[in-house]
């Protein structure tokens, strides 16, 4: 059912698009009501609107804190058009229905995001009348359309022009969006106030955490076919993150596709030079730098061709035809890159089932330089029984200056470059992680074992299976070696340099073993457990 729009109340903090909308509504013969600031803006553009204070017969007061909290406003929003007693009641008190509410709220989140924001400033940007009107209008969605965002204006206006009003499905969808907007607004206020300490400082972890996520899609099933699943994004997603991806071709993404694609994307975008990461079951099975995307892929694939079958392949550079040709020779579930040449698109189209994702990765600053939009989460969360573990994300970057040489032999410059590369890869490998590298490429990866020595053995075995030599390689261990046995395994395999956090009570024993074997070792002082 479509109900006509005869009267609209416009009260917006963000004025984007409101002048154009109001002019169009007035042109359709719709009476406009408006609050102070919005009314002044409309008047400046020659658009007639009755101020709310004139409509209610009650002036704005308390510095504008009280202006729409009035029976004339809420009666006009809440009266049920299909209930005669409601319509008789408002008519008896001279109240007219309000059919369309155009509203957005004080910029609370933008205010508290500013450095130096005071509690007083935050409190003054807590909207009261706005959320009250949103709730009234959205509750009475059968009679009222509620527009809470500028991107809703065009669609609503098109429907009003075509039918004279808004349909039930449209008004219901707008009501859901309105309640979501109020919920997000209240959540932001709760997050901020819950984070305040007695001394005024803000805690990283508020006393109440209000997760705010938007569903992107329902999934066919979860990690296993008997599990149900859906994919959500943050309310405000970071640029360069997986949720901003555009799927160019292929079947619908599965739960496991998304989880593995995120692991590959997070790893590959941590490199500034051309890189390729191949992931299988959330672990990098091949990572390499290269002269270009095709070269990086060839070197990454060489690490573990068996595991790469049916894997997720991520690049931090646009794909050209050569790289696409190389990728298309194997079975691949998902390809991710910042862009694709037209020739690469044509090549990948031959793999119709391969899911091809494009994610904008680089941003150009005002000075013309290019920044990598890392799109990293500030926090990681993990569900436990009736609870949630929350931590700051593992975004620590180790640099050359952070390394401490603890052995008699120091690494060469080339080995130091490989050690830092291996360390970066190890951060994305499930613990316990052992990563052999050489010349900017992985040559053996051991992941997810209950003991570090087993991870070291598996990495050696996988390198041998791939026909790769570990002689002269370097090794990263995501946590310290608790005993010298793990070090002996990597030394026996041919490693000549090791990077690890240090911090074991047996550090001296392990350092002594490295000196005994003629291995260079550096400590980072940082651990990278990844469970």
């Amino acid at each position: 059912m479509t109900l006509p729009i005869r009267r609209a109340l416009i009260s917006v903090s963000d004025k984007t698009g409101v002048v154009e909308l109001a002019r169009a509504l007035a042109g359709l013969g719709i009476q406009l009501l408006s609050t102070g600031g919005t009314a002044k803006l409309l008047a400046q553009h020659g658009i007639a609107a009755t101020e709310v204070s004139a409509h209610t017969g009650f002036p704005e007061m308390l510095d504008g804190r009280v202006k729409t909290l009035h029976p004339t406003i809420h009666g006009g929003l809440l009266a049920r058009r299909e209930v005669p007693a409601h319509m008789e009641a408002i008519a008896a008190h001279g109240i007219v229905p309000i059919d369309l509410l155009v509203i957005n709220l004080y910029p609370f989140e933008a205010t508290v995001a500013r450095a130096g924001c005071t509690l007083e400033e935050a409190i003054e940007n807590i909207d009261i009348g706005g959320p009250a009107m949103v709730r009234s209008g959205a509750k009475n969605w059968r009679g009222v359309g509620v527009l809470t965002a500028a991107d809703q204006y065009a669609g609503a206006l098109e429907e009003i022009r075509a039918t004279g009003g808004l349909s039930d499905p449209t008004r219901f969808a707008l009501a859901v969006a309105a309640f979501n907007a109020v919920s997000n607004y209240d959540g932001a206020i709760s997050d901020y106030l819950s984070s305040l300490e007695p001394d005024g400082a803000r805690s990283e972890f508020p006393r109440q955490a209000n997760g705010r996520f938007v569903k992107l899609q329902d999934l066919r099933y979860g990690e296993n076919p008997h599990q149900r699943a859906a994919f959500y994004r943050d309310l405000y997603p970071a640029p360069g993150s997986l949720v901003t991806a555009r799927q160019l071709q292929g079947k619908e993404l599965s739960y496991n596709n998304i989880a593995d694609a995120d692991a590959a994307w997070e790893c590959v975008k941590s490199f500034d030079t051309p890189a390729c990461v191949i992931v299988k079951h959330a672990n990098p099975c091949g990572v390499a730098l290269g002269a270009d995307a095709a070269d990086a892929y060839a070197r990454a694939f060489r690490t573990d061709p068996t595991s790469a079958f049916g894997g997720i392949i991520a690049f931090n550079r646009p794909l050209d035809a050569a790289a696409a040709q190389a990728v298309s020779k194997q079975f691949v579930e998902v390809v991710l890159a910042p862009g694709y040449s037209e020739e690469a698109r044509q090549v990948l189209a031959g793999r119709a089932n391969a899911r091809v994702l494009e994610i904008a990765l680089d941003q150009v600053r005002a000075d013309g330089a290019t920044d990598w939009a890392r799109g990293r989460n500030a926090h990681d969360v993990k569900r436990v029984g009736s609870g949630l573990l929350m931590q700051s994300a593992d975004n620590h970057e180790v640099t050359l200056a952070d390394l401490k040489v603890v052995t008699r032999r120091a690494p060469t410059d080339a080995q130091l470059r490989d050690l830092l590369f291996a360390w970066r890869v190890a951060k994305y490998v499930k613990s316990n992680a052992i990563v052999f590298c050489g010349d900017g490429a992985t040559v053996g990866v051991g992941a997810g074992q209950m003991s570090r020595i087993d991870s070291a053995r598996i990495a050696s075995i996988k390198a041998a299976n791939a026909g790769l030599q570990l002689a002269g390689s370097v090794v990263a261990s995501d946590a310290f070696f608790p005993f010298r046995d793990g070090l002996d395994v990597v030394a026996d395999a041919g490693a000549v340099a090791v990077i690890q956090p240090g911090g074991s009570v047996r550090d001296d024993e392990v350092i002594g073993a490295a000196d005994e074997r003629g291995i260079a070792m550096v400590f980072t002082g940082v651990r990278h457990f990844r469970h």
Side-chain angles (χ1 to χ4, degrees), residues 31 41 59 89 147-148 178 258 306 355 458 530:
Q31 179 188 353
L41 176 67
L147 303 180
T148 51
I258 294 168
T306 300
R355 302 155 177 92
I458 288 172
R530 189 178 184 85

Side-chain angles (χ1 to χ4, degrees), residues 77-78 133-143 146 175 179:
L77 291 171
L78 283 167
M133 287 193 291
V134 171
R135 291 178 187 277
S136 292
K139 176 175 180 175
N140 195 25
W141 65 270
R142 292 189 184 277
V146 183
F179 279 118

Side-chain angles (χ1 to χ4, degrees), residues 443 459-470:
V443 287
S460 300
I461 292 168
K462 293 183 78 67
N465 290 342
L468 300 176
Q469 296 295 320
L470 296 182

Side-chain angles (χ1 to χ4, degrees), residues 419 422 434-437 473-477 481 490 495-500:
L419 286 169
I434 294 289
V435 180
F436 286 85
C437 294
S473 64
V474 307
V475 169
S477 173
F481 287 98
V490 301
V496 296
V498 171
I499 184 170
Q500 62 135 317

Side-chain angles (χ1 to χ4, degrees), residues 41-262:
L41 176 67
L42 299 184
Q44 289 169 7
H45 287 82
I47 302 169
T50 301
E51 286 204 42
V52 163
S53 58
H55 180 67
T56 62
F58 196 89
E60 293 187 14
M61 60 185 299
L62 306 182
D63 298 319
R65 287 187 171 200
V66 176
K67 50 191 172 186
T68 57
L69 296 171
H70 194 281
T72 301
I73 299 299
H74 288 273
L77 291 171
L78 283 167
R80 295 174 61 183
R81 278 53 167 174
E82 77 279 13
V83 178
H86 280 208
M87 302 309 290
E88 292 168 5
I90 64 171
H93 292 280
I95 298 173
V96 294
I98 297 171
D99 310 305
L100 182 67
L101 177 64
V102 182
I103 187 166
N104 54 61
L105 309 178
Y106 294 171
F108 180 84
E109 287 186 276
T111 299
V112 298
R114 292 200 307 262
C117 172
T118 65
L119 176 59
E120 184 63 25
E121 288 174 308
I123 294 297
E124 285 306 308
N125 277 277
I126 295 177
D127 204 327
I128 303 300
M133 287 193 291
V134 171
R135 291 178 187 277
S136 292
K139 176 175 180 175
N140 195 25
W141 65 270
R142 292 189 184 277
V144 182
V146 183
L147 303 180
T148 51
D151 60 8
Q152 298 170 335
Y153 297 171
L157 188 58
E158 181 180 358
E159 187 172 335
I160 294 169
R161 280 173 171 155
T163 68
L166 298 174
S167 67
D168 282 356
T170 296
R171 279 182 273 104
F172 182 75
L174 291 173
V176 172
F179 279 118
N180 287 342
V182 172
S183 172
N184 290 327
Y185 194 76
D186 289 342
I189 294 170
S190 172
D191 283 340
Y192 170 76
L193 295 177
S194 294
S195 73
L196 293 181
E197 301 290 356
D199 63 358
R202 291 182 65 176
S203 169
E204 183 177 0
F205 303 104
R207 289 181 292 280
Q208 176 170 309
N210 300 279
R212 292 175 285 156
F213 304 96
V214 178
K215 186 165 71 173
L216 291 176
Q217 66 187 93
D218 289 307
L219 303 175
R220 287 174 295 160
Y221 54 82
E223 200 163 8
N224 299 290
H226 64 275
Q227 296 171 266
R228 297 183 301 278
F231 183 27
Y232 289 78
R233 66 162 172 80
D234 283 327
L235 183 63
Y236 305 115
S241 55
L242 181 68
V243 297
T244 66
R246 184 166 68 102
Q247 185 166 351
L248 304 181
Q249 73 167 56
K251 298 184 295 184
E252 178 184 320
L253 289 163
S254 72
Y255 180 99
N256 291 330
N257 289 155
I258 294 168
D260 287 351
D262 184 62

